[in-house]
Amino acid sequence: MRPIHDTLDWNLLRTFIVIVQEESVSRAAVRLYLSQPAVSLSLKRLEERLGQKLIERDSHHFRVTQAGQLVYREAVDIYANVARLAASVGESDPEVAGHVSLAFITGIQCAFLDSVLATFHRQYPQITFEIEDMSSQEVQHALSQRQSALGICLSQTCPETLNSQVLARQRYRLYCGRSHRLFGRDNLPMDELHREPYVSFGSEQLDGVLSPLAVFRAQHGLQGAVVGQSSRLQEIERMVMAGWGIGCMPEHLVARDVADGQLWPLPPYAGVADIDLHVMWHREGRNNVAETTFIDFFLNAMAKVPMEDRLTTGIAQPEPGASSSQAPDPQALQSPDAHSLPSPHAPSNGPVAPPPPWDD
C-alpha cells in the first residue's frame, strides 16, 4: 500500500481546517462556496483515510476529537510550510495593499495580539489599519453592520451573524488599597467582606458582559454599598487604591501594583471568576483582500499559541538584525495564497494598549 502522504488529497485538509474554524459543516460550506453535502463528504473521506473520527456532531453539539485537534494543528503547519516555501522562491506578494478596520474594547493588554500586529506589519507594510475604541456591545454592532472586519470584546453570547473564538482568559480577584482596614491581613474569611463598600464596573450586572462578577457578589452576600463605578479599569483601580472600597480586577494586570504594595489581594484566594476575551468576525465574507489576509493571518497565528498562554506569550519573533534566511518568516503563519487556505470571508473586488478590556 502506498504511504498516506503520497495519496492524501490536501484539499481534504484545507476543508477540515475551515470546518474546525467555523465549528459547523454548513458554515464551512458557505465560506468555501461548496454545497453542504460536498463538505460532509470531504470530512468523511478524510476520516476514512486517516482511520480516525475527527469530529463528533449532531443537531445539538459539535466537538473536535483529540485526533481531530492533532490533525488540525498539523494541517495548519502544512500550509505554514507551504507559505514559507512560496516566500523563499519569491512567489509571495509583499505588495498586498489595502485598509483594515478593527474594533477593540478599551485598552486590551495581550502579548499575543501585540506580536500579531507587529509581525503582520513587517510582512505586509502596505496594509493600513484603523482601530476603533468601543464598548463590547458596540464592537459586536460594528461587526454585524460590516463597519469593521474583526473585533475583540467581552461577551457572554455570540450574535448569530458573527463567528467567535476565545482569544484569552483572564482571572479576576478582589483587592483593597493601602489605606483600607483589610490591607495586609492574611487568611481572611469571606464574612469580613459582606458589608464592605464596593467599587464596580458599569457592566457588572446580571445581564452585562461581566455578569459572573455580579453573580459572585450575589451568591456570597457581598452587600456593601457601591461607592464608585466606571467602565475603565484604570479608574476602578484608582478608586480602590484611594481606599473607597474593595473591587474586582484582572489578576495579571495588577500583579505589579500588588508587588509594589499598592494593592492587597482578598478572599477568595483562588479568584472570583474567569472572563473570556473573544475575537469575532462576520460569518459572511465580502471583505477586501487586505481584510481577508489579516483575518487569515490572525486565526492561523491563534492555532500556534495555546489559549492559556496568549496573555503573556506572542508568536515567534525573528532575532533583531537576523536576515530572512536565518529567522523564521512571518509568512509561516499566513496561507500561501487565497486558494491554498480559505479565508474566513470571500474577498470582494475592493483594493487589493495598557488598561485591560472592560466596558459597559
Side-chain angles (χ1 to χ4, degrees), residues 172-177 180 193 196-201 204 213 217 222 227-228 233 236-237 239-241 244-250 254 263-267 272:
Y172 303 93
R173 294 183 61 175
L174 286 166
Y175 299 89
C176 67
H180 195 277
L193 308 183
E196 285 300 317
Y198 191 79
V199 178
S200 171
F201 287 97
E204 202 170 321
L213 305 186
R217 289 175 59 200
L222 302 188
V227 296
L233 176 105
I236 296 293
E237 187 173 18
M239 289 183 276
V240 171
M241 284 184 174
W244 290 15
I246 64 176
C248 194
M249 293 175 282
V254 299
L263 293 173
W264 186 260
L266 300 171
V272 170

Side-chain angles (χ1 to χ4, degrees), residues 6 58-59 66 79 90 100 111 126 131 142 149 173 234 256 273 282 300-301 303 313 322 343:
D6 284 344
D58 56 29
S59 58
Q66 185 174 357
Y79 285 105
V100 179
Q126 302 303 317
I131 301 178
R173 294 183 61 175
Q234 65 265 38
R256 177 175 296 180
H282 205 284
N300 289 338
T313 303
S343 68

Side-chain angles (χ1 to χ4, degrees), residues 8-19 25 28-29 32 34-50 52 54-55 57 71:
L8 181 63
D9 182 352
W10 283 23
N11 284 322
L12 300 182
L13 295 177
R14 180 184 67 172
T15 302
F16 180 68
I17 289 174
V18 178
I19 293 173
V25 169
L32 291 166
L34 298 173
S35 68
Q36 183 171 335
V39 174
S40 295
L41 179 60
S42 293
L43 174 60
K44 180 180 179 182
R45 287 176 58 199
L46 181 61
E47 290 178 328
E48 290 176 347
R49 189 68 186 89
L50 297 176
Q52 295 281 348
L54 303 180
I55 291 176
R57 61 190 176 97
V71 171

Side-chain angles (χ1 to χ4, degrees), residues 111-152:
F112 170 82
L113 174 61
D114 294 341
S115 69
V116 166
L117 293 176
T119 306
F120 186 84
H121 178 68
R122 286 197 299 271
Q123 182 66 30
Y124 299 99
Q126 302 303 317
I127 293 180
T128 60
F129 283 85
E130 178 183 12
I131 301 178
E132 291 285 346
D133 182 351
M134 305 178 177
S135 71
S136 286
Q137 185 176 7
E138 289 169 339
V139 168
Q140 294 177 26
H141 179 75
L143 295 172
S144 296
Q145 298 298 315
R146 303 181 189 277
Q147 297 168 355
S148 300
L150 183 140
I152 297 177

Side-chain angles (χ1 to χ4, degrees), residues 73-95:
R73 290 193 296 269
E74 293 296 329
V76 170
D77 281 341
I78 287 172
Y79 285 105
N81 289 331
V82 173
R84 186 180 298 110
L85 174 63
S88 67
V89 297
E91 294 178 358
S92 61
D93 183 8
E95 300 305 319

Side-chain angles (χ1 to χ4, degrees), residues 56-77:
E56 295 178 349
R57 61 190 176 97
D58 56 29
S59 58
H60 302 292
H61 81 286
F62 177 101
R63 187 181 76 86
V64 182
T65 66
Q66 185 174 357
Q69 293 172 1
L70 175 61
V71 171
Y72 175 75
R73 290 193 296 269
E74 293 296 329
V76 170
D77 281 341

Side-chain angles (χ1 to χ4, degrees), residues 105-299:
I105 56 174
T106 302
I108 297 171
Q109 186 168 328
C110 175
F112 170 82
L113 174 61
D114 294 341
S115 69
V116 166
L117 293 176
T119 306
F120 186 84
H121 178 68
R122 286 197 299 271
Q123 182 66 30
Y124 299 99
Q126 302 303 317
I127 293 180
T128 60
F129 283 85
E130 178 183 12
I131 301 178
E132 291 285 346
D133 182 351
M134 305 178 177
S135 71
S136 286
Q137 185 176 7
E138 289 169 339
V139 168
Q140 294 177 26
H141 179 75
L143 295 172
S144 296
Q145 298 298 315
R146 303 181 189 277
Q147 297 168 355
S148 300
L150 183 140
I152 297 177
C153 63
L154 302 173
S155 178
Q156 296 301 314
T157 59
C158 180
E160 292 184 359
T161 58
L162 304 180
N163 285 322
S164 175
Q165 288 189 28
V166 176
L167 174 61
R169 181 163 295 158
Q170 302 178 110
R171 174 156 295 183
Y172 303 93
R173 294 183 61 175
L174 286 166
Y175 299 89
C176 67
R178 286 183 62 86
S179 62
H180 195 277
R181 71 177 188 88
L182 299 178
F183 189 91
R185 295 176 58 182
D186 294 314
N187 302 317
L188 288 169
M190 283 297 299
D191 291 350
E192 289 278 4
L193 308 183
H194 284 175
R195 299 294 179 181
E196 285 300 317
Y198 191 79
V199 178
S200 171
F201 287 97
S203 54
E204 202 170 321
Q205 308 294 331
L206 291 177
D207 59 349
V209 293
L210 299 182
S211 60
L213 305 186
V215 170
F216 173 86
R217 289 175 59 200
Q219 290 177 340
H220 291 80
L222 302 188
Q223 301 173 1
V226 175
V227 296
Q229 189 174 75
S230 178
S231 63
R232 296 178 180 270
L233 176 105
Q234 65 265 38
E235 302 307 331
I236 296 293
E237 187 173 18
R238 190 193 311 276
M239 289 183 276
V240 171
M241 284 184 174
W244 290 15
I246 64 176
C248 194
M249 293 175 282
E251 182 178 46
H252 76 288
L253 291 176
V254 299
R256 177 175 296 180
D257 293 317
V258 173
D260 290 343
Q262 300 300 315
L263 293 173
W264 186 260
L266 300 171
Y269 297 110
V272 170
D274 291 334
I275 307 291
D276 289 341
L277 187 62
H278 294 262
V279 56
M280 294 185 178
W281 65 99
H282 205 284
R283 291 191 185 281
E284 301 176 5
R286 299 192 298 192
N287 292 309
N288 64 41
V289 172
E291 292 168 336
T292 299
T293 301
F294 179 72
I295 297 174
D296 277 348
F297 189 96
F298 197 102
L299 295 179

